[in-house]
Each structure stands twice: as structure tokens, then as C-alpha cells.
Amino acid sequence: MRFIISLALKNLTRYKRRTIITAVAIAVGLMMYIVVDSILLGAEFESMRNLRWYETASARIMHPDYWEERLMRPLDISIDDPNTIVDALRKEGIAAAPRTMFSADLILYSDDFGEDGNMPVQVTAVDPELDNTVFRFEDTLIEGRFVESGTNELVIGSWFAEDIGAKVGYWVTLVTRGNGGFYEAMDMQIVGIVNCPNPNVNRTLLMVPIDTIGDYLAMEGAATEINIALPENAEIAEEVARIQQLIDPSGNDLLVVSWDDLARDYVALAEAKRGGTGMILFLVFIIAAVGISNTMLMAIYERIRELGMMRALGMNDRSIQLAFMVEAGGIGLIGSTIGVLLGIAINFYMVNVGIDFGLLMRDMDMGYRIQSSFRGTWSPSTIITAFFFGSILSMLVAWIPTRRALKMDIPSCLRHQ
Amino acid sequence: MIQVQNVIRNYKAGETVVKALKGVSLDIGDGEFLSIAGPSGSGKTTLLNLIGCIDALDGGEITIEGQPVSGMDKKTKTEFRRNNLGFIFQTYNLIPVLSAYENVSFVLSILNIPEKEIEERTMRILKEVGLEGMEHRRPDRLSGGQQQRIAIARALVKNPKIVLADEPTANLDSKTGEEILKLMKEMNRKYHTTFIFSTHDSMVMDYAARLVLLHDGQIVSDERR
């Protein structure tokens, strides 16, 4: 065994250039895998966080029928007494805040905007006192202030404001149908502009006080949903079940939906992108396998006479095969070590600085809830997997060409030129 | 020691069947220094390969130390070669990344001999073949003659019963070739190892204690000297 390992390691230095080229191919592949996996994983973590902080909260309580028809934003399927539930949850140490979502037509006037216009929008009515205990908009204000209860005030997303040319102090009108179907027009003044890390929110956000809207739309204290914030490390499914048990005795027949159900589209997209990482791993597999296999094929072809000599002298096929596999494993080990070290070095930059895709994200929806810098994350399991994958795969792919060479009879090996 | 009985070996060259050995019979005793001579294509190497258990018989039988070769499977043949046979090749076939010492000692490593004994035996045989002080040199830093000395040391280090040498001097100049033959003869005398070597060189034939002449796959003369 010692001889086999010693021979294999010495053979690594026999064709230095070839060893280096193959090792570099493996290293580049593994480095790419580590970095891409880190970026995708980082983007996924950050997107999930930004979804919970600015879009879905950790979980949401709503009427089961509202959940079914949520795209229509029906105001008549609502939670009658949201404050009682919010208070009950807060007593249990769970942060909760009611919201009412509705569709409207946004009317812009030439006085402020230079020309008249209108567009369909989704409006979020919030409780200014409670909303920031669940969502994190407080720190995202770049201009003006947050809405106050009982006022005709409106906060707008920064990209939305940019798109329509809105500024703090401008007036707009929201035209919608109230609870019962009557038409209502509400004049609202823009008091703040928020720029949060979730591009979807920046693109679409219009936030108004829930009590003002309740009066306009005849909600009579009802809200369409109650949003809940859970600790970052909470087991969401368990907490959802616990909250469901807490609200069931109220007899309101309400449903608690976790954030990943609310963001089903995003979760599906993330899963598809995870599949993309699998494709990268497969490509790395191909690069490493072809590189090593080719190197070992050439190494074996050039050493057929030597192989014949070893067999003639009584070395068994298993030992010869092992020698070539250890040699290939050595190349894999060099490549994997370099790849992992390079991957860690680049990932260090990715974790601490990241790549700014701000300009791209402004005009394109990639599905991720990240506004500017894509940052990596440390995934020890990926790094360990990459290292062992590169080393072990290299050994395995050497098996085929060695096996083929060992099928030649010994005299043919000894005659080989 | 070795009985070659009516051995037949045919090769296929495309559609044609080449009859390399046409019923060769030969008895080789312990400690012989035997040369198998003949022109190219006469079947010398084929006969050596068959005696060396690295080629398969098409007919007849070879018995070595009472063991019929045709009855051995691949694994048994490998073990038999490992324990009983030494090989010397025309082109030395040394492993270029290993030193002279390692090229010789690996034969003992595969026999699972303890490290200390490997060292003793390797150093002793290298000294005997005149390579003392050169044990750490790699083959590319040695002359052809010195490389063939390593090959002889490699063949003899495990004290085999038989050493088979295929044209051992063909790649050497006449002076070095003669030195190699003298060394082989000396080892034959000292260890009583049976040496069977093929050649088509008359100088080499002169050194043989027994000369078997092959022509077209048949023995045409068998002369003891």
C-alpha cells in the first residue's frame, strides 16, 4: 500500500503541466460552485427576510374565503373585530397589526405632476401605531414622515414615486369601491417616501392610515388581514398552529397562513433556482470528470508498457488500479484544495461586499426581493461537499480508463510503443 | 524443472492466422543458462512469454515445478509469477519516477516482505550488480547498461527460481552487452537461478550453456555446451 501511494504521488510530478491544467480545471469548477451557491443562498436568505419584513410578515390571519379570493381584494370578506385578536395575540407576546388591502385608481393632477393621469394601484391601509411592530418601514423613510392616524396622508415607495414624478406634499386622489360596492374618492397628500430593500414594495407601495380608510370605505372597524411578526429563529409551522389554536375560540372562523404560503410564487422560484445550482454542480461534475478522465487516459496510454511490466512481475490488477486511482485522487485533491481556497477567498468578498445589481433590479424583476447588492453567505456544507466531491469524483473517473488498459493482455502491453 | 510439451501458439493478424509455435517441446533443468535463439519471427519471445505465464497456450502443456500452466487461472498465474519468476526486458521497463532502489525494492513490497528486510536485500543486490552508491539515482540519470543492471537486480532480488530475459542486450553496445551477460552468468552461478534468455546476437549465443535454435516456430537444434 505504501508503495502504491508513493508511486501514485511520484507520478503526479511526472507530467507536471498536465496535472496542473487538470487541477486548475477542477479548481475553477469548484470555485464557481462555491461562489454561485453562496450568492444564490445569500439572495434566498435576504429575499426571505425582506419578504417577511416588508411584504408578507411571518404569518397572516384572514378569512378563509378571503384567502381564496385574495387577488380580487374583496372588502366584504374581512375580520370584523381585528383589534380584539391583535390584543389577544399581543398578550401572548406575539406582535400583530391589522391591515386592509384594496384596489383603487390613482388620479394624478397636472398641478403637481405636470399632466393629468390615472393608473390602477394596490393600496395598503395600515395602523400607524402597530404596523412598525410587525413590519420595518420606520427605518426606510428617505423623505418626509410616516402616515398618522385619522389623516388623509399617504406614503409611497421610492421607485413608484420616481416613476410618476411624485414628491412629498403632492396631492393625489384614490378612487375605489367601498364595502357594499359604492364608489368613493379620497384625496390624499403624500407625506413620505420609503426606500426599502424589497424592490417589489418600492415599485408598488401606497400606504394610508387604516382608520381614515375604514371611514371612507365603510369598514366599520374591520380589516382584511392581521399580520404577525415571529422571531427570526421561530419554527413557523409550529407557531402558525399555535396561533390558529389561540384564535379558534373566538368563533370568527379565521385562517392563519404562513409567509411561505403567502409567497408561494417566490418559494417556487427559489426552488427552481436551487435546481439551477444543481445544474452548476452537474456542469462541475462534467468538467472534472472529462478533465480527469482525459488526463488519466493519456497517463495510462503512455504507461502501458510499464503497466505490462508491473503485471508481469506479479502485481495484481487491483493494486495497479488503486495506484492509478490514488494518482487521479491526488490531482482531484490538489484541484479541490485550490478550488475551495479560491472559493473561500472570493466568497469572503461576496459575503462582506457583494455585487451591486441595483441598476439591473430597478428595471427588471428577477423574482428576488433584493434591491441592490447581492451578498453571499457562508455554507460550510457546500464547501465540504465541493472538496470531497472533487477528490472522490477524480478517483472514480480514473477507474474506467484503468480498467480498459488492464483488459489488454500482458504481451500486448509489453509490445506497446 | 520446466517441461515444454508440444506447445502450440497461434496469433490472428487480421484474417490470417500466424502459427508462432508449431508443437515445441523442451525440458529445462534447474540452474540452466539457456539461450533461445533465432531470427525475428521465429517464436523466441512467444516461447518466453508462455514459460513466463504471461501468454496463453493454444495447445500442448508447460509444466513448471510440477505445476501445469494451462490449469492456472489469471489470479494463480499472477501469484505464480510474483513468487517464482523474474523478468528482464529488452527496453529495461523501469519506472522513471522511482530511484534505482525503489525500482528494485517494489518487487519485494508486493510480496509483503518487512521493510527492514526489503532494505537489506535491495542494497545487497544493488551492490552485487555494481550499482552501490547509485541507489538514489533515477533511471534517466543512468546509462543503458546501468539501467539494465537495475532490471537484473529487480529480477533477482526476490530470489526467483527462473529469470526470463527477452533480448536483454539488444539495446546495448557490444561492450556493455558483454558486461551484462557476464553479470547474468555470475548470478546464475552464484544463486543457481535458471536463466532463459532470447537473442539473435551471436555474441550472446556464445555465452549460453545451452543453445536452443528456433526457426518458424519449431526447434531446429538444441545444443548443450
Side-chain angles (χ1 to χ4, degrees):
Chain A
M1 191 61 170
R2 225 170 91 181
F3 165 72
I4 288 168
I5 293 168
S6 158
L7 177 66
L9 295 181
K10 285 184 177 173
N11 273 326
L12 280 179
T13 60
R14 192 162 170 179
Y15 310 103
K16 281 192 194 100
R17 193 177 298 172
R18 200 183 298 162
T19 300
I20 291 167
I21 289 170
T22 313
V24 165
I26 296 168
V28 169
L30 292 184
M31 178 206 71
M32 271 175 58
Y33 171 61
I34 290 169
V35 172
V36 170
D37 185 74
S38 161
I39 295 171
L40 289 182
L41 210 61
E44 206 175 305
F45 283 154
E46 207 167 323
S47 289
M48 290 193 293
R49 193 196 62 197
N50 289 340
L51 265 164
R52 290 197 308 268
W53 285 6
Y54 305 103
E55 213 173 321
T56 62
S58 302
R60 188 175 291 169
I61 300 171
M62 62 187 92
H63 198 282
D65 294 342
Y66 185 86
W67 172 236
E68 293 300 321
E69 294 180 39
R70 62 193 179 281
L71 296 177
M72 304 300 294
R73 307 276 190 221
L75 292 176
D76 54 335
I77 311 173
S78 56
I79 304 166
D80 291 339
D81 189 8
N83 291 330
T84 311
I85 296 170
V86 168
D87 289 343
L89 290 172
R90 295 183 80 81
K91 271 184 197 157
E92 291 292 326
I94 300 165
R99 276 185 168 190
T100 291
M101 309 291 292
F102 63 97
S103 307
D105 211 27
L106 177 72
I107 315 274
L108 312 174
Y109 300 104
S110 57
D111 296 350
D112 285 335
F113 293 92
E115 57 181 301
D116 293 337
N118 69 306
M119 66 180 68
V121 290
Q122 299 291 332
V123 186
T124 308
V126 303
D127 182 327
E129 277 75 45
L130 294 176
D131 208 66
N132 282 321
T133 63
V134 173
F135 295 97
R136 308 210 178 194
F137 284 101
E138 213 164 36
D139 302 331
T140 62
L141 271 172
I142 54 167
E143 219 181 316
R145 57 175 175 76
F146 212 64
V147 292
E148 286 174 3
S149 296
T151 62
N152 279 28
E153 293 174 347
L154 183 143
V155 162
I156 186 168
S158 61
W159 289 357
F160 192 9
E162 241 173 69
D163 289 343
I164 62 172
K167 290 193 172 135
V168 170
Y170 284 14
W171 283 88
V172 294
T173 301
L174 292 170
V175 179
T176 187
R177 283 180 174 228
N179 188 8
F182 60 90
Y183 277 100
E184 185 64 271
M186 301 164 276
D187 289 330
M188 312 294 277
Q189 187 181 28
I190 297 169
V191 294
I193 297 173
V194 295
N195 181 26
C196 79
N198 184 330
N200 264 24
V201 174
N202 276 347
R203 261 187 217 110
T204 56
L205 182 78
L206 284 179
M207 203 183 262
V208 291
I210 196 167
D211 55 348
T212 308
I213 292 304
D215 291 343
Y216 275 120
L217 304 184
M219 293 300 286
E220 294 170 357
T224 55
E225 60 192 47
I226 296 170
N227 291 281
I228 293 162
L230 294 168
E232 291 295 309
N233 54 357
E235 188 55 57
I236 300 288
E238 278 176 22
E239 289 295 322
V240 164
R242 185 167 80 94
I243 295 164
Q244 186 73 59
Q245 276 183 340
L246 280 171
I247 62 167
D248 277 347
S250 70
N252 284 326
D253 186 24
L254 297 173
L255 180 70
V256 186
V257 182
S258 65
W259 76 268
D260 47 349
D261 276 333
L262 292 164
R264 219 178 263 167
D265 291 350
Y266 169 76
V267 172
L269 183 85
E271 268 168 19
K273 282 179 178 165
R274 236 174 277 142
T277 319
M279 281 300 292
I280 291 167
L281 186 65
F282 181 70
L283 284 176
V284 171
F285 173 88
I286 298 289
I287 292 167
V290 170
I292 284 277
S293 191
N294 187 47
T295 301
M296 291 316 295
L297 196 68
M298 286 170 80
I300 291 162
Y301 189 76
E302 285 170 14
R303 275 186 252 158
I304 289 216
R305 251 181 29 201
E306 198 177 304
L307 206 133
M309 176 274 292
M310 291 197 279
R311 291 168 72 196
L313 295 187
M315 201 163 170
N316 61 38
D317 289 1
R318 211 180 52 193
S319 300
I320 294 170
Q321 194 151 25
L322 187 63
F324 279 103
M325 285 173 79
V326 170
E327 186 179 333
I331 299 174
L333 197 69
I334 296 169
S336 300
T337 307
I338 298 170
V340 163
L341 290 176
L342 276 176
I344 289 172
I346 295 172
N347 206 35
F348 188 79
Y349 176 84
M350 288 309 303
V351 169
N352 292 295
V353 181
I355 302 174
D356 191 350
F357 285 117
L359 285 174
L360 200 64
M361 297 303 287
R362 175 69 181 84
D363 300 316
M364 201 172 82
D365 185 2
M366 285 168 67
Y368 285 121
R369 303 305 202 266
I370 299 171
Q371 190 184 322
S372 54
S373 279
F374 274 58
R375 287 179 187 228
T377 187
W378 290 110
S379 170
S381 64
T382 300
I383 294 168
I384 293 166
T385 306
F387 182 79
F388 284 106
F389 176 77
S391 308
I392 293 167
L393 175 80
S394 307
M395 287 183 87
L396 292 180
V397 293
W399 191 84
I400 302 159
T402 319
R403 193 77 227 142
R404 195 180 295 170
L406 287 170
K407 276 188 179 162
M408 279 176 81
D409 59 52
I410 299 174
S412 302
C413 289
L414 292 169
R415 274 198 306 271
H416 196 266
Q417 293 298 317
Chain B
M1 186 193 202
I2 303 169
Q3 283 86 44
V4 179
Q5 294 160 323
N6 200 27
V7 160
I8 295 167
R9 182 70 173 112
N10 302 322
Y11 291 111
K12 271 191 182 171
E15 295 293 300
T16 324
V17 175
V18 179
K19 295 181 175 178
L21 292 175
K22 304 168 186 169
V24 170
S25 296
L26 187 67
D27 274 2
I28 303 168
D30 260 353
E32 282 207 50
F33 197 70
L34 180 147
S35 171
I36 299 167
S40 286
S42 59
K44 307 182 294 286
T45 301
T46 304
L47 184 54
L48 273 185
N49 287 346
L50 290 169
I51 295 170
C53 305
I54 57 175
D55 202 357
L57 292 161
D58 287 322
E61 184 61 274
I62 294 176
T63 310
I64 305 172
E65 295 269 288
Q67 287 188 64
V69 167
S70 64
M72 294 181 190
D73 61 12
K74 193 181 169 191
K75 196 180 162 197
T76 316
K77 277 185 181 174
T78 304
E79 266 174 42
F80 185 80
R81 287 196 304 271
R82 190 189 307 149
N83 295 317
N84 301 292
L85 305 179
F87 286 87
I88 300 168
F89 305 98
Q90 181 184 335
T91 50
Y92 330 128
N93 285 353
L94 301 175
I95 302 173
V97 288
L98 301 184
S99 65
Y101 175 90
E102 290 164 329
N103 263 293
V104 175
S105 66
F106 96 83
V107 178
L108 299 177
S109 298
I110 60 177
L111 282 169
N112 292 322
I113 288 170
E115 203 60 40
K116 195 167 165 47
E117 192 184 333
I118 290 176
E119 193 182 336
E120 276 169 21
R121 283 168 69 170
T122 306
M123 292 308 285
R124 192 169 64 231
I125 198 75
L126 282 171
K127 189 179 174 187
E128 283 187 46
V129 299
L131 291 174
E132 196 180 15
M134 296 182 193
E135 55 270 15
H136 297 302
R137 287 198 196 170
R138 285 190 179 186
D140 59 355
R141 292 184 58 214
L142 295 167
S143 68
Q146 286 167 328
Q147 288 187 50
Q148 197 59 302
R149 281 168 190 269
I150 299 176
I152 293 170
R154 183 178 65 188
L156 289 168
V157 73
K158 63 183 175 187
N159 300 326
K161 293 187 176 78
I162 304 155
V163 170
L164 300 157
D166 189 14
E167 308 246 12
T169 61
N171 272 23
L172 303 170
D173 60 65
S174 56
K175 188 170 169 277
T176 314
E178 206 169 347
E179 282 171 16
I180 292 296
L181 282 167
K182 280 179 183 167
L183 177 66
M184 283 166 57
K185 186 103 186 166
E186 192 190 325
M187 295 294 129
N188 164 251
R189 201 172 47 240
K190 190 170 179 180
Y191 294 108
H192 204 65
T193 307
T194 304
F195 270 80
I196 306 167
F197 52 96
S198 66
T199 188
H200 60 268
D201 182 341
S202 56
M203 185 266 284
V204 180
M205 292 178 211
D206 290 343
Y207 269 86
R210 183 180 171 193
L211 180 65
V212 174
L213 268 176
L214 275 177
H215 191 80
D216 278 346
Q218 287 177 314
I219 293 177
V220 290
S221 81
D222 184 351
E223 181 191 342
R224 286 176 194 276
R225 292 154 169 195

